[in-house]
Amino acid sequence: MALVEGDGLALMLEYVFHEMGQPIAWSNPTMRSLMTKQIAQGAELKSLPLYIRETLLFPYLAGVGLIAETRAQNSWVRVDRMFRNPPRSTEQVLHPAKYFAGEGPKIVPDPGLSAPSGWQQVFNNVTGELGWAVFLEQHGVERDRARTAAEGWGGDRFAVSSPVKGDASLTNDRDLLLVSLSSWDSEGEAVEAYDALVDALAKLGGDATCKNRETLLRCPRIGGQETRLERRDDRLVLVVGAPRDQVGALVRKSWAQWKAAPATP
């Protein structure tokens, strides 16, 4: 989507500049920054929740940034070739150098396989760099810090499960269980992400009282649920909403099944 929208928007801008008799300076980062800010300011989305606003704007803002970076040194022929091998992650869109270097996301196992007895998976997806940045900011982490922490993303997958007794029981967030496995570019990047998540999860927990021990965060909640975050080297396991008597086994099972592969070209 970002490639398509960015391509259309960049082509439109080039046409406008051409009609004015001026070349468009894609190689000028200041001009690109002003252009994307203009697009964002023109969108009537300020009243929307942060996640909706950011994901709606992303294909246009990040997409035109991707095309601008490409057009700065290449013709439209190179842009056309990108459609045969489009970006595979929001990270590749946000950081075109990673796309051109073939730095793809790491493969992470399905965390839904770790769901405890009595729970069934209802949703499974990838958060990605954009998703992590928005999640952190949504839960109180300052915007620049959230984006810096998310830049170390290497790959992830999360699964949401609900009680087997059925959808009729889904009356609040405590009827949902989330398991997220994420891999980061280095141990240092994982530490940075962990520290940002500690602050975000303290706000997410609501009635929870969180205790952090450098590589392990525990946030038990009133009602018997617990949020737990654990880091090992450059990887994180995050569990939200697990029954307190099952959270330990769930985290151990998640680590045991982990078989993250190197990033694929």
Side-chain angles (χ1 to χ4, degrees):
M1 179 66 76
L3 179 59
V4 173
E5 299 296 351
D7 177 76
L9 189 53
L11 182 60
M12 179 188 70
L13 291 169
E14 281 206 18
Y15 177 79
V16 170
F17 273 72
H18 174 76
E19 289 297 296
M20 293 189 301
Q22 300 178 17
I24 188 165
W26 287 126
S27 59
N28 186 333
T30 301
M31 191 211 70
R32 297 207 307 259
S33 177
L34 290 172
M35 199 172 294
T36 53
K37 285 181 180 178
Q38 192 88 11
I39 297 169
Q41 290 173 356
E44 298 296 329
L45 304 173
K46 293 182 180 179
S47 62
L48 294 178
L50 180 66
Y51 181 81
I52 301 298
R53 184 170 71 248
E54 292 292 331
T55 53
L56 283 175
L57 285 173
F58 179 80
Y60 303 95
L61 300 182
V64 77
L66 173 64
I67 301 303
E69 188 76 19
T70 306
R71 285 289 290 120
Q73 300 179 3
N74 301 274
S75 70
W76 279 103
V77 173
R78 181 65 184 90
V79 176
D80 293 341
R81 289 209 306 267
M82 294 170 69
F83 283 85
R84 302 173 192 168
N85 179 33
R88 301 200 309 278
S89 66
T90 55
E91 177 187 53
Q92 287 190 333
V93 177
L94 289 164
H95 309 285
K98 294 189 175 185
Y99 167 75
F100 290 115
E103 184 181 326
K106 297 177 183 178
I107 299 173
V108 177
D110 181 1
L113 301 176
S114 301
S117 176
W119 295 76
Q120 59 186 355
Q121 186 177 149
V122 295
F123 189 66
N124 186 306
N125 208 338
V126 173
T127 306
E129 179 178 334
L130 173 67
W132 281 108
V134 174
F135 174 83
L136 292 170
E137 184 180 353
Q138 182 71 58
H139 293 93
V141 178
E142 189 269 330
R143 184 180 180 87
D144 288 343
R145 182 189 175 202
R147 272 153 175 68
T148 299
E151 283 182 0
W153 178 89
D156 81 276
R157 183 162 286 278
F158 71 89
V160 177
S161 300
S162 68
V164 175
K165 54 186 176 182
D167 291 345
S169 68
L170 301 181
T171 57
N172 56 60
D173 64 336
R174 296 183 183 182
D175 291 316
L176 294 175
L177 164 66
L178 178 141
V179 181
S180 169
L181 312 181
S182 59
S183 182
W184 300 79
D185 290 337
S186 67
E187 183 171 359
E189 300 282 10
V191 170
E192 189 171 24
Y194 176 93
D195 290 342
L197 276 166
V198 167
D199 292 343
L201 293 171
K203 293 182 173 61
L204 175 68
D207 56 22
T209 301
C210 297
K211 296 181 179 179
N212 182 27
R213 296 188 301 179
E214 293 190 0
T215 61
L216 175 65
L217 176 74
R218 301 182 61 179
C219 299
R221 298 176 61 178
I222 297 172
Q225 291 78 27
E226 182 172 322
T227 291
R228 187 173 295 190
L229 172 67
E230 186 171 343
R231 180 183 67 81
R232 294 185 184 178
D233 300 324
D234 61 352
R235 299 172 180 178
L236 301 178
V237 168
L238 170 63
V239 176
V240 179
R244 196 173 304 167
D245 60 349
Q246 300 182 49
V247 66
L250 180 55
V251 171
R252 288 192 296 272
K253 187 176 180 181
S254 296
W255 285 120
Q257 73 165 36
W258 194 299
K259 296 179 182 179
T264 55

